[in-house]
């Protein structure tokens, strides 16, 4: 193909991608009765990227950005408040089942079989426990497109679950809480002194990458709205002792940006400052028995 033709196709593709109705897609992530809008993160805090925006999966309670290479999301973003997480009798994760996500092209989709006997839990990024306002919305958190392989005992079923509980707890301190969660693949130093990114890949053929770490950004918003409180945490995908303070895992937004390749909070609305959440509230895991939420 001639260069000019290539360029013209490229320009067309660029134009299409720029014109993609992202805002329309985003604006339907709303539970009007609860005043929730997961995609509101993008306008308030900037799109966590640069990564493609044309394959976002927009669910009732969260938005996720699939990564076709790792078969994990880049992140899932949610917006919760006290009403959204209020446990109601009829709505239960016991009625939900883990499902492959047919909205992800088959080649790039993580499969139930990939996780089977892998030794890893299917770890929610947007947590099931954050969605109690409708069974459908809760069920949607069980798409594998919202999962990453997580160490079960001591992490997904314990420390990580208790970190999620802390996120929910913030709905007691803030009218509105926004949470961004995703995997990281971080380097470690080898015996020769060099740094390597070394992690397992599960499935047959191997295709679902096992993150070394996970991040969680929690933003607490008051209705007054001229300041918000936020914190970023990076936790290793491994057993973590219950006695480890959550603040051990706190990092700066800049560091998270550098680790993740995602710009975080680039476009906080002018005149709004982001204070350290952990200066305002006690940042700590909130433990409960993992039998309450079997993974
Ligand atoms: C947050 O945690 C505190 C202490 O455990 C508890 O008293 C409070 O009810 C929790 N609030 C919410 C909204 O979960
Ligand atoms: C950010 O990363 C640098 C370099 O790794 C480290 O020295 C610093 O302590 C980190 N800051 C926070 C707040 O974690
Ligand atoms: C955030 O960034 C988008 C473009 O990425 C821009 O359209 C929007 O106006 C920005 N919002 C604020 C509040 O700066």
């Amino acid at each position: 193909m001639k260069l000019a033709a290539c360029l013209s196709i490229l320009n067309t593709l660029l134009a299409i991608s720029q014109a993609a109705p992202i805002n329309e897609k985003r604006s339907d992530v709303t539970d009007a009765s609860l005043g929730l809008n997961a995609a509101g993160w993008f306008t308030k805090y900037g799109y966590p990227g640069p990564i493609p925006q044309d394959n976002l999966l927009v669910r009732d309670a969260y938005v996720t950005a699939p990564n076709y290479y790792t078969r994990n999301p880049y992140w899932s973003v949610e917006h919760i408040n006290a009403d959204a997480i209020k446990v109601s009798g009829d709505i239960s994760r016991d009625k939900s089942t883990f499902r492959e996500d047919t909205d992800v092209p088959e080649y790039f989709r993580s499969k139930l079989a990939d996780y089977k006997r892998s030794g890893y839990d299917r770890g929610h990024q947007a947590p099931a426990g954050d969605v109690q306002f409708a069974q459908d919305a809760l069920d949607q958190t069980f798409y594998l497109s919202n999962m990453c392989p997580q160490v079960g005992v001591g992490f997904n079923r314990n420390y990580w679950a208790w970190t999620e509980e802390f996120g929910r707890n913030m709905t007691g301190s803030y009218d509105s809480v926004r949470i961004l969660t995703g995997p990281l693949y971080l380097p470690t130093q080898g015996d020769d002194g060099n740094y390597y990114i070394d992690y397992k890949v599960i499935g047959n053929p191997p295709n679902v990458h096992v993150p070394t770490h996970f991040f969680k950004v929690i933003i607490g918003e008051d209705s007054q709205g001229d300041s918000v409180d936020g914190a970023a945490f990076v936790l290793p995908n491994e057993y973590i002792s219950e006695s480890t303070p959550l603040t051990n895992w706190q990092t700066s937004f800049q560091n998270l940006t550098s680790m993740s390749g995602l710009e975080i909070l680039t476009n906080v609305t002018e005149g709004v400052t982001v204070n350290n959440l952990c200066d305002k509230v006690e940042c700590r895991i909130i433990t409960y028995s993992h039998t309450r939420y079997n993974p």
Side-chain angles (χ1 to χ4, degrees), residues 23 26 42-47 53 266-270:
N23 291 320
R26 288 172 181 177
F42 308 139
T43 38
K44 294 187 91 157
Y45 304 121
Y47 183 74
Q53 304 191 27
T266 44
N267 101 356
V268 173
T269 312
E270 213 170 315

Side-chain angles (χ1 to χ4, degrees), residues 161-237:
W162 302 330
T163 303
E164 293 175 343
E165 185 75 8
F166 168 70
R168 284 189 283 280
N169 193 264
M170 288 301 95
T171 61
S173 307
Y174 297 93
D175 301 331
S176 161
V177 176
R178 293 178 189 273
I179 303 178
L180 178 75
T181 306
L184 294 167
Y185 311 87
L186 301 181
T188 46
Q189 196 168 22
D191 294 339
D192 62 2
N194 294 310
Y195 284 85
Y196 298 89
I197 296 182
D198 179 16
Y199 58 81
K200 238 188 252 187
V201 182
I202 59 170
N204 181 18
N207 68 113
V208 182
H209 297 213
V210 180
T212 62
H213 293 73
F214 291 92
F215 67 87
K216 206 174 259 301
V217 176
I218 301 177
I219 305 281
E221 302 171 332
D222 285 323
S223 40
Q224 285 78 0
D226 55 355
S227 83
V228 296
D229 301 335
F233 303 94
V234 172
L235 282 69
N237 187 13

Side-chain angles (χ1 to χ4, degrees), residues 249-256 259:
W249 311 115
Q250 193 180 7
T251 190
S252 63
F253 293 115
Q254 269 118 335
N255 278 11
L256 178 58
M259 280 184 250

Side-chain angles (χ1 to χ4, degrees), residues 90-277:
D90 296 345
I91 296 165
S92 163
R93 65 175 289 151
D94 295 343
K95 297 180 188 165
S96 305
T97 48
F98 290 95
R99 284 180 285 175
E100 293 175 12
D101 192 339
T102 52
D103 286 344
V104 177
E106 192 169 0
Y107 262 11
F108 309 124
R109 194 185 295 162
S110 61
K111 314 269 200 318
L112 292 165
D114 294 327
Y115 279 89
K116 205 167 183 183
R117 284 189 287 278
S118 70
Y120 291 94
D121 280 3
R122 295 161 292 200
H124 283 73
Q125 300 304 287
D130 288 9
V131 184
Q132 302 288 343
F133 62 85
Q135 188 66 43
D136 274 359
L138 170 56
D139 290 348
Q140 290 168 4
T141 69
F142 282 78
Y143 281 122
L144 292 192
S145 51
N146 182 42
M147 303 292 160
C148 295
Q150 286 186 325
V151 167
V153 175
F155 190 67
N156 182 44
R157 304 175 199 180
N158 305 96
Y159 202 97
W160 180 250
W162 302 330
T163 303
E164 293 175 343
E165 185 75 8
F166 168 70
R168 284 189 283 280
N169 193 264
M170 288 301 95
T171 61
S173 307
Y174 297 93
D175 301 331
S176 161
V177 176
R178 293 178 189 273
I179 303 178
L180 178 75
T181 306
L184 294 167
Y185 311 87
L186 301 181
T188 46
Q189 196 168 22
D191 294 339
D192 62 2
N194 294 310
Y195 284 85
Y196 298 89
I197 296 182
D198 179 16
Y199 58 81
K200 238 188 252 187
V201 182
I202 59 170
N204 181 18
N207 68 113
V208 182
H209 297 213
V210 180
T212 62
H213 293 73
F214 291 92
F215 67 87
K216 206 174 259 301
V217 176
I218 301 177
I219 305 281
E221 302 171 332
D222 285 323
S223 40
Q224 285 78 0
D226 55 355
S227 83
V228 296
D229 301 335
F233 303 94
V234 172
L235 282 69
N237 187 13
E238 62 191 33
Y239 173 94
I240 303 175
S241 141
E242 188 177 332
S243 60
T244 314
L246 182 58
T247 47
N248 272 29
W249 311 115
Q250 193 180 7
T251 190
S252 63
F253 293 115
Q254 269 118 335
N255 278 11
L256 178 58
T257 290
S258 143
M259 280 184 250
S260 63
L262 300 169
E263 292 179 316
I264 314 272
L265 307 190
T266 44
N267 101 356
V268 173
T269 312
E270 213 170 315
V272 172
T273 41
V274 182
N275 307 305
N276 181 0
L277 179 84

Side-chain angles (χ1 to χ4, degrees), residues 11-69:
N11 282 331
T12 309
L13 287 174
L14 277 175
I16 290 169
S17 72
Q18 279 157 7
I22 290 159
N23 291 320
E24 277 158 50
K25 271 169 84 179
R26 288 172 181 177
S27 63
D28 60 11
V29 196
T30 305
D31 189 289
S33 60
L34 294 172
L36 298 178
N37 177 8
W41 177 290
F42 308 139
T43 38
K44 294 187 91 157
Y45 304 121
Y47 183 74
I51 54 164
Q53 304 191 27
D54 54 4
N55 59 355
L56 292 182
L57 301 171
V58 175
R59 308 301 188 204
D60 291 346
Y62 69 99
V63 181
T64 194
N67 180 331
Y68 288 175
Y69 172 57

Side-chain angles (χ1 to χ4, degrees), residues 275-289:
N275 307 305
N276 181 0
L277 179 84
C278 302
D279 287 344
K280 299 294 184 75
V281 300
E282 192 190 353
C283 286
R284 60 183 185 92
I285 53 168
I286 296 181
T287 59
Y288 59 82
S289 158

